[in-house]
Amino acid sequence: MLQLRPNCECCNIDLPPDSSDARICSFECTFCADCVAKCLGGVCPNCGGELVARPRRPADKLAKYPASTERVYKTGGCATR
Ligand SMILES: [Zn+2]
Ligand SMILES: [Zn+2]
């Protein structure tokens, strides 16, 4: 099951579980669409894997299987180009 992390690891913007802007890699490193497009070039800076749109969990399932509230953030943001 996905953790559905609450923020972008790069710019720390909020990414709620119903956000269509969340992107994840296979390890669930989580970024916003903006950082992925402008800064990361579609590749996860942690593992080198591809970043894809994170599926949204339906609200009734979220009540039973809540999203993670643990923020993961890279100090200094994502790698500069
Ligand atoms: Zn971001
Ligand atoms: Zn990754």
Side-chain angles (χ1 to χ4, degrees):
M1 188 172 80
L2 294 176
Q3 295 171 36
L4 301 174
R5 294 177 188 168
N7 67 310
C8 171
E9 214 173 292
C10 178
C11 67
N12 207 20
I13 197 174
D14 285 341
L15 292 171
D18 62 351
S19 171
S20 56
D21 286 339
R23 301 288 181 270
I24 58 172
C25 77
S26 70
F27 295 99
E28 227 187 318
C29 310
T30 304
F31 301 95
C32 70
D34 228 34
C35 288
V36 170
K38 290 180 187 157
C39 184
L40 304 174
V43 176
C44 175
N46 299 328
C47 69
E50 64 187 326
L51 291 163
V52 299
R54 184 177 69 185
R56 282 163 288 178
R57 186 169 298 166
D60 60 323
K61 298 296 183 300
L62 269 174
K64 197 171 174 193
Y65 304 100
S68 167
T69 53
E70 191 182 332
R71 298 181 82 86
V72 177
Y73 179 57
K74 273 166 100 82
T75 316
C78 41
T80 49
R81 4 173 182 192

